Amino acid sequence: MPGNPTPTRFPETGVSDRDVTSVLGNLPYLDPTRHHVFFDDFNTYAAADWVVTETAGGATQATLSGDGGHLALVNTAGDDDVNSLQQAFPSFTFTAGKALAGKIRFKVSDATQSDLLIGLFAVDTSPIASAPTDGFGFLKSDAAATILFEVGTSSVYGTTAALATLADDTFYTFGWYCTGRAYVKPSDGLSYYAFDVYGGTGHDPAFITRLEVLTTAMPGATVMAPTLCLQNGEAVAKTLTVDYILISKER
């Protein structure tokens, strides 16, 4: 930690985020029921937890040795071969007035000759070929190393300008935060974030912009799932390596 700061300690009292009259108001810790959280750090991988879509036999999904826990999606050597994972039991919807956030760290072996769709989307067995009905997330098209953020409903998506230009086999961290409120003031609406991770420098904000125009195109009542999708842009196998994925929804 920078400067090795001394942590604030509450050894006897604890910390609460509930009123004293609440049923959990006297617990000495924050109320874990306030948010629904999905977080996978990929120390382990169980195929039964995911809907796995492979367009060609021989594709694999497996954990790798590496600091922080890594999951590798490796597809086969055919043009447009797809390797896709979506949470087996979708459990997130967009709700007006409720905050919804996501954060993902990943790298791809070929930043140009590959397609990516990563984030929170409605379940779809061909999520790149036909856009899922609803979702929030990050898109990279074939023949381009630039990554975009998109959000939409009923298969109609609003898409941002490029967040960043990816390099081969280099980890990046991307995220979004949606207040769930219509844009009225700067603290409302939907923000997206991009971070480049350089050796020894940690996470440095590279791009932060509020998406006022997209607050009118939020997903509907469709239940969505954490999604990791890789598609080849040429007849050469590609690898998507995911460090972690976090989705958090205010109850």
mmCIF file of all heavy atoms in Angstrom, residues 19-50:
data_model
loop_
_atom_site.group_PDB
_atom_site.id
_atom_site.type_symbol
_atom_site.label_atom_id
_atom_site.label_comp_id
_atom_site.label_asym_id
_atom_site.label_seq_id
_atom_site.Cartn_x
_atom_site.Cartn_y
_atom_site.Cartn_z
ATOM 1 N N ASP A 19 -29.474 2.128 10.498
ATOM 2 C CA ASP A 19 -30.005 2.872 11.634
ATOM 3 C C ASP A 19 -30.123 1.964 12.844
ATOM 4 O O ASP A 19 -30.329 0.752 12.701
ATOM 5 C CB ASP A 19 -31.385 3.443 11.267
ATOM 6 C CG ASP A 19 -31.937 4.351 12.333
ATOM 7 O OD1 ASP A 19 -31.624 5.552 12.315
ATOM 8 O OD2 ASP A 19 -32.682 3.841 13.201
ATOM 9 N N VAL A 20 -30.015 2.528 14.036
ATOM 10 C CA VAL A 20 -30.052 1.728 15.262
ATOM 11 C C VAL A 20 -31.363 0.977 15.410
ATOM 12 O O VAL A 20 -31.439 -0.052 16.084
ATOM 13 C CB VAL A 20 -29.784 2.629 16.494
ATOM 14 C CG1 VAL A 20 -30.950 3.599 16.702
ATOM 15 C CG2 VAL A 20 -29.520 1.797 17.735
ATOM 16 N N THR A 21 -32.445 1.471 14.783
ATOM 17 C CA THR A 21 -33.742 0.797 14.892
ATOM 18 C C THR A 21 -33.881 -0.372 13.917
ATOM 19 O O THR A 21 -34.846 -1.127 13.980
ATOM 20 C CB THR A 21 -34.878 1.790 14.625
ATOM 21 O OG1 THR A 21 -34.736 2.337 13.311
ATOM 22 C CG2 THR A 21 -34.863 2.928 15.644
ATOM 23 N N SER A 22 -32.921 -0.525 12.976
ATOM 24 C CA SER A 22 -32.969 -1.612 12.015
ATOM 25 C C SER A 22 -32.682 -2.944 12.703
ATOM 26 O O SER A 22 -31.979 -3.010 13.713
ATOM 27 C CB SER A 22 -31.940 -1.377 10.909
ATOM 28 O OG SER A 22 -31.772 -2.527 10.109
ATOM 29 N N VAL A 23 -33.202 -4.026 12.128
ATOM 30 C CA VAL A 23 -32.969 -5.356 12.701
ATOM 31 C C VAL A 23 -31.476 -5.688 12.740
ATOM 32 O O VAL A 23 -31.027 -6.438 13.615
ATOM 33 C CB VAL A 23 -33.744 -6.430 11.901
ATOM 34 C CG1 VAL A 23 -33.216 -6.545 10.478
ATOM 35 C CG2 VAL A 23 -33.689 -7.784 12.601
ATOM 36 N N LEU A 24 -30.693 -5.105 11.817
ATOM 37 C CA LEU A 24 -29.249 -5.341 11.801
ATOM 38 C C LEU A 24 -28.457 -4.132 12.292
ATOM 39 O O LEU A 24 -27.238 -4.076 12.132
ATOM 40 C CB LEU A 24 -28.789 -5.712 10.381
ATOM 41 C CG LEU A 24 -29.448 -6.948 9.753
ATOM 42 C CD1 LEU A 24 -28.868 -7.211 8.373
ATOM 43 C CD2 LEU A 24 -29.275 -8.175 10.642
ATOM 44 N N GLY A 25 -29.138 -3.177 12.903
ATOM 45 C CA GLY A 25 -28.503 -1.933 13.292
ATOM 46 C C GLY A 25 -27.441 -2.056 14.364
ATOM 47 O O GLY A 25 -26.585 -1.177 14.489
ATOM 48 N N ASN A 26 -27.473 -3.121 15.156
ATOM 49 C CA ASN A 26 -26.495 -3.274 16.234
ATOM 50 C C ASN A 26 -25.377 -4.251 15.895
ATOM 51 O O ASN A 26 -24.522 -4.539 16.752
ATOM 52 C CB ASN A 26 -27.193 -3.722 17.519
ATOM 53 C CG ASN A 26 -28.037 -2.606 18.115
ATOM 54 O OD1 ASN A 26 -27.565 -1.481 18.246
ATOM 55 N ND2 ASN A 26 -29.286 -2.904 18.437
ATOM 56 N N LEU A 27 -25.373 -4.755 14.657
ATOM 57 C CA LEU A 27 -24.255 -5.607 14.269
ATOM 58 C C LEU A 27 -22.996 -4.745 14.104
ATOM 59 O O LEU A 27 -23.083 -3.623 13.605
ATOM 60 C CB LEU A 27 -24.560 -6.319 12.955
ATOM 61 C CG LEU A 27 -25.665 -7.379 13.006
ATOM 62 C CD1 LEU A 27 -25.859 -7.969 11.614
ATOM 63 C CD2 LEU A 27 -25.332 -8.468 14.008
ATOM 64 N N PRO A 28 -21.826 -5.247 14.480
ATOM 65 C CA PRO A 28 -20.600 -4.435 14.411
ATOM 66 C C PRO A 28 -19.921 -4.483 13.045
ATOM 67 O O PRO A 28 -18.703 -4.343 12.942
ATOM 68 C CB PRO A 28 -19.721 -5.072 15.485
ATOM 69 C CG PRO A 28 -20.105 -6.509 15.458
ATOM 70 C CD PRO A 28 -21.591 -6.528 15.176
ATOM 71 N N TYR A 29 -20.704 -4.683 11.982
ATOM 72 C CA TYR A 29 -20.142 -4.692 10.637
ATOM 73 C C TYR A 29 -21.201 -4.230 9.645
ATOM 74 O O TYR A 29 -22.394 -4.147 9.972
ATOM 75 C CB TYR A 29 -19.617 -6.088 10.262
ATOM 76 C CG TYR A 29 -20.589 -7.222 10.478
ATOM 77 C CD1 TYR A 29 -21.580 -7.514 9.540
ATOM 78 C CD2 TYR A 29 -20.519 -8.013 11.633
ATOM 79 C CE1 TYR A 29 -22.466 -8.546 9.736
ATOM 80 C CE2 TYR A 29 -21.406 -9.051 11.834
ATOM 81 C CZ TYR A 29 -22.375 -9.320 10.887
ATOM 82 O OH TYR A 29 -23.258 -10.344 11.086
ATOM 83 N N LEU A 30 -20.765 -3.925 8.414
ATOM 84 C CA LEU A 30 -21.677 -3.415 7.395
ATOM 85 C C LEU A 30 -22.684 -4.487 6.989
ATOM 86 O O LEU A 30 -22.374 -5.669 6.952
ATOM 87 C CB LEU A 30 -20.882 -2.947 6.175
ATOM 88 C CG LEU A 30 -19.814 -1.882 6.446
ATOM 89 C CD1 LEU A 30 -19.122 -1.498 5.139
ATOM 90 C CD2 LEU A 30 -20.408 -0.655 7.105
ATOM 91 N N ASP A 31 -23.878 -4.049 6.673
ATOM 92 C CA ASP A 31 -24.966 -4.957 6.325
ATOM 93 C C ASP A 31 -24.711 -5.597 4.961
ATOM 94 O O ASP A 31 -24.764 -4.918 3.926
ATOM 95 C CB ASP A 31 -26.274 -4.176 6.303
ATOM 96 C CG ASP A 31 -27.468 -5.022 5.931
ATOM 97 O OD1 ASP A 31 -27.305 -6.238 5.727
ATOM 98 O OD2 ASP A 31 -28.586 -4.461 5.846
ATOM 99 N N PRO A 32 -24.436 -6.912 4.907
ATOM 100 C CA PRO A 32 -24.132 -7.554 3.621
ATOM 101 C C PRO A 32 -25.355 -7.750 2.733
ATOM 102 O O PRO A 32 -25.217 -8.135 1.565
ATOM 103 C CB PRO A 32 -23.537 -8.904 4.039
ATOM 104 C CG PRO A 32 -24.192 -9.197 5.350
ATOM 105 C CD PRO A 32 -24.358 -7.865 6.029
ATOM 106 N N THR A 33 -26.566 -7.512 3.261
ATOM 107 C CA THR A 33 -27.773 -7.725 2.461
ATOM 108 C C THR A 33 -28.136 -6.508 1.621
ATOM 109 O O THR A 33 -29.086 -6.566 0.843
ATOM 110 C CB THR A 33 -28.967 -8.078 3.365
ATOM 111 O OG1 THR A 33 -29.336 -6.937 4.162
ATOM 112 C CG2 THR A 33 -28.638 -9.241 4.277
ATOM 113 N N ARG A 34 -27.405 -5.419 1.739
ATOM 114 C CA ARG A 34 -27.758 -4.204 1.006
ATOM 115 C C ARG A 34 -27.452 -4.324 -0.487
ATOM 116 O O ARG A 34 -28.016 -3.600 -1.300
ATOM 117 C CB ARG A 34 -27.022 -2.992 1.583
ATOM 118 C CG ARG A 34 -27.408 -2.696 3.025
ATOM 119 C CD ARG A 34 -26.871 -1.361 3.486
ATOM 120 N NE ARG A 34 -27.557 -0.258 2.808
ATOM 121 C CZ ARG A 34 -27.444 1.015 3.190
ATOM 122 N NH1 ARG A 34 -26.687 1.336 4.208
ATOM 123 N NH2 ARG A 34 -28.092 1.964 2.547
ATOM 124 N N HIS A 35 -26.541 -5.224 -0.844
ATOM 125 C CA HIS A 35 -26.174 -5.395 -2.250
ATOM 126 C C HIS A 35 -26.129 -6.881 -2.611
ATOM 127 O O HIS A 35 -25.747 -7.711 -1.789
ATOM 128 C CB HIS A 35 -24.803 -4.773 -2.535
ATOM 129 C CG HIS A 35 -24.792 -3.287 -2.405
ATOM 130 N ND1 HIS A 35 -24.667 -2.651 -1.188
ATOM 131 C CD2 HIS A 35 -24.912 -2.304 -3.344
ATOM 132 C CE1 HIS A 35 -24.698 -1.342 -1.374
ATOM 133 N NE2 HIS A 35 -24.843 -1.108 -2.666
ATOM 134 N N HIS A 36 -26.529 -7.164 -3.821
ATOM 135 C CA HIS A 36 -26.364 -8.496 -4.391
ATOM 136 C C HIS A 36 -25.060 -8.472 -5.173
ATOM 137 O O HIS A 36 -24.897 -7.656 -6.095
ATOM 138 C CB HIS A 36 -27.539 -8.821 -5.305
ATOM 139 C CG HIS A 36 -27.339 -10.041 -6.136
ATOM 140 N ND1 HIS A 36 -27.830 -10.160 -7.415
ATOM 141 C CD2 HIS A 36 -26.685 -11.200 -5.895
ATOM 142 C CE1 HIS A 36 -27.497 -11.330 -7.918
ATOM 143 N NE2 HIS A 36 -26.789 -11.979 -7.019
ATOM 144 N N VAL A 37 -24.121 -9.343 -4.822
ATOM 145 C CA VAL A 37 -22.784 -9.288 -5.393
ATOM 146 C C VAL A 37 -22.404 -10.628 -6.013
ATOM 147 O O VAL A 37 -22.563 -11.685 -5.394
ATOM 148 C CB VAL A 37 -21.737 -8.915 -4.320
ATOM 149 C CG1 VAL A 37 -20.334 -8.923 -4.918
ATOM 150 C CG2 VAL A 37 -22.057 -7.546 -3.727
ATOM 151 N N PHE A 38 -21.902 -10.576 -7.252
ATOM 152 C CA PHE A 38 -21.268 -11.723 -7.886
ATOM 153 C C PHE A 38 -19.805 -11.362 -8.080
ATOM 154 O O PHE A 38 -19.486 -10.350 -8.707
ATOM 155 C CB PHE A 38 -21.907 -12.029 -9.243
ATOM 156 C CG PHE A 38 -21.160 -13.086 -10.023
ATOM 157 C CD1 PHE A 38 -21.463 -14.427 -9.872
ATOM 158 C CD2 PHE A 38 -20.153 -12.735 -10.915
ATOM 159 C CE1 PHE A 38 -20.775 -15.400 -10.582
ATOM 160 C CE2 PHE A 38 -19.460 -13.696 -11.636
ATOM 161 C CZ PHE A 38 -19.771 -15.027 -11.460
ATOM 162 N N PHE A 39 -18.912 -12.181 -7.545
ATOM 163 C CA PHE A 39 -17.482 -11.945 -7.729
ATOM 164 C C PHE A 39 -16.792 -13.282 -7.918
ATOM 165 O O PHE A 39 -16.946 -14.188 -7.103
ATOM 166 C CB PHE A 39 -16.876 -11.217 -6.528
ATOM 167 C CG PHE A 39 -15.392 -10.997 -6.660
ATOM 168 C CD1 PHE A 39 -14.875 -10.192 -7.661
ATOM 169 C CD2 PHE A 39 -14.504 -11.616 -5.797
ATOM 170 C CE1 PHE A 39 -13.509 -9.990 -7.806
ATOM 171 C CE2 PHE A 39 -13.135 -11.427 -5.919
ATOM 172 C CZ PHE A 39 -12.640 -10.605 -6.929
ATOM 173 N N ASP A 40 -16.061 -13.403 -9.009
ATOM 174 C CA ASP A 40 -15.294 -14.619 -9.263
ATOM 175 C C ASP A 40 -13.849 -14.233 -9.530
ATOM 176 O O ASP A 40 -13.557 -13.509 -10.488
ATOM 177 C CB ASP A 40 -15.864 -15.398 -10.448
ATOM 178 C CG ASP A 40 -15.456 -16.869 -10.417
ATOM 179 O OD1 ASP A 40 -14.348 -17.153 -9.934
ATOM 180 O OD2 ASP A 40 -16.247 -17.711 -10.882
ATOM 181 N N ASP A 41 -12.952 -14.701 -8.678
ATOM 182 C CA ASP A 41 -11.523 -14.430 -8.795
ATOM 183 C C ASP A 41 -10.797 -15.574 -9.490
ATOM 184 O O ASP A 41 -9.588 -15.535 -9.662
ATOM 185 C CB ASP A 41 -10.933 -14.204 -7.400
ATOM 186 C CG ASP A 41 -9.733 -13.284 -7.417
ATOM 187 O OD1 ASP A 41 -9.409 -12.741 -8.491
ATOM 188 O OD2 ASP A 41 -9.105 -13.098 -6.366
ATOM 189 N N PHE A 42 -11.537 -16.605 -9.859
ATOM 190 C CA PHE A 42 -11.048 -17.733 -10.643
ATOM 191 C C PHE A 42 -9.854 -18.443 -10.012
ATOM 192 O O PHE A 42 -8.916 -18.846 -10.691
ATOM 193 C CB PHE A 42 -10.741 -17.301 -12.083
ATOM 194 C CG PHE A 42 -11.961 -16.794 -12.789
ATOM 195 C CD1 PHE A 42 -12.079 -15.455 -13.140
ATOM 196 C CD2 PHE A 42 -13.012 -17.645 -13.063
ATOM 197 C CE1 PHE A 42 -13.213 -14.981 -13.769
ATOM 198 C CE2 PHE A 42 -14.164 -17.188 -13.697
ATOM 199 C CZ PHE A 42 -14.253 -15.850 -14.042
ATOM 200 N N ASN A 43 -9.935 -18.613 -8.682
ATOM 201 C CA ASN A 43 -9.024 -19.552 -8.036
ATOM 202 C C ASN A 43 -9.443 -20.978 -8.368
ATOM 203 O O ASN A 43 -8.621 -21.907 -8.337
ATOM 204 C CB ASN A 43 -9.033 -19.339 -6.524
ATOM 205 C CG ASN A 43 -8.395 -18.024 -6.133
ATOM 206 O OD1 ASN A 43 -7.253 -17.749 -6.490
ATOM 207 N ND2 ASN A 43 -9.138 -17.193 -5.425
ATOM 208 N N THR A 44 -10.734 -21.146 -8.663
ATOM 209 C CA THR A 44 -11.275 -22.426 -9.117
ATOM 210 C C THR A 44 -12.251 -22.153 -10.259
ATOM 211 O O THR A 44 -12.711 -21.015 -10.450
ATOM 212 C CB THR A 44 -12.014 -23.170 -7.990
ATOM 213 O OG1 THR A 44 -13.113 -22.356 -7.537
ATOM 214 C CG2 THR A 44 -11.072 -23.454 -6.816
ATOM 215 N N TYR A 45 -12.566 -23.199 -11.019
ATOM 216 C CA TYR A 45 -13.546 -23.084 -12.094
ATOM 217 C C TYR A 45 -14.383 -24.348 -12.125
ATOM 218 O O TYR A 45 -13.847 -25.463 -12.140
ATOM 219 C CB TYR A 45 -12.858 -22.895 -13.448
ATOM 220 C CG TYR A 45 -13.794 -23.084 -14.620
ATOM 221 C CD1 TYR A 45 -14.742 -22.116 -14.941
ATOM 222 C CD2 TYR A 45 -13.760 -24.255 -15.388
ATOM 223 C CE1 TYR A 45 -15.609 -22.295 -16.005
ATOM 224 C CE2 TYR A 45 -14.614 -24.432 -16.463
ATOM 225 C CZ TYR A 45 -15.548 -23.445 -16.769
ATOM 226 O OH TYR A 45 -16.411 -23.626 -17.812
ATOM 227 N N ALA A 46 -15.708 -24.195 -12.107
ATOM 228 C CA ALA A 46 -16.633 -25.321 -12.209
ATOM 229 C C ALA A 46 -17.535 -25.081 -13.412
ATOM 230 O O ALA A 46 -18.300 -24.099 -13.434
ATOM 231 C CB ALA A 46 -17.461 -25.465 -10.937
ATOM 232 N N ALA A 47 -17.454 -25.932 -14.403
ATOM 233 C CA ALA A 47 -18.222 -25.753 -15.637
ATOM 234 C C ALA A 47 -19.716 -25.678 -15.373
ATOM 235 O O ALA A 47 -20.450 -24.981 -16.083
ATOM 236 C CB ALA A 47 -17.910 -26.884 -16.608
ATOM 237 N N ALA A 48 -20.192 -26.376 -14.312
ATOM 238 C CA ALA A 48 -21.621 -26.398 -14.010
ATOM 239 C C ALA A 48 -22.150 -25.024 -13.590
ATOM 240 O O ALA A 48 -23.359 -24.792 -13.625
ATOM 241 C CB ALA A 48 -21.911 -27.411 -12.910
ATOM 242 N N ASP A 49 -21.251 -24.105 -13.215
ATOM 243 C CA ASP A 49 -21.677 -22.766 -12.801
ATOM 244 C C ASP A 49 -21.928 -21.846 -13.994
ATOM 245 O O ASP A 49 -22.403 -20.719 -13.812
ATOM 246 C CB ASP A 49 -20.600 -22.118 -11.915
ATOM 247 C CG ASP A 49 -20.444 -22.831 -10.582
ATOM 248 O OD1 ASP A 49 -21.380 -23.532 -10.166
ATOM 249 O OD2 ASP A 49 -19.371 -22.667 -9.963
ATOM 250 N N TRP A 50 -21.619 -22.340 -15.203
ATOM 251 C CA TRP A 50 -21.683 -21.488 -16.385
ATOM 252 C C TRP A 50 -22.414 -22.187 -17.529
ATOM 253 O O TRP A 50 -22.393 -23.409 -17.641
ATOM 254 C CB TRP A 50 -20.268 -21.139 -16.863
ATOM 255 C CG TRP A 50 -19.445 -20.427 -15.836
ATOM 256 C CD1 TRP A 50 -18.709 -20.993 -14.828
ATOM 257 C CD2 TRP A 50 -19.288 -19.013 -15.692
ATOM 258 N NE1 TRP A 50 -18.090 -20.022 -14.085
ATOM 259 C CE2 TRP A 50 -18.431 -18.794 -14.590
ATOM 260 C CE3 TRP A 50 -19.773 -17.917 -16.411
ATOM 261 C CZ2 TRP A 50 -18.053 -17.513 -14.173
ATOM 262 C CZ3 TRP A 50 -19.399 -16.636 -16.004
ATOM 263 C CH2 TRP A 50 -18.548 -16.450 -14.897
#
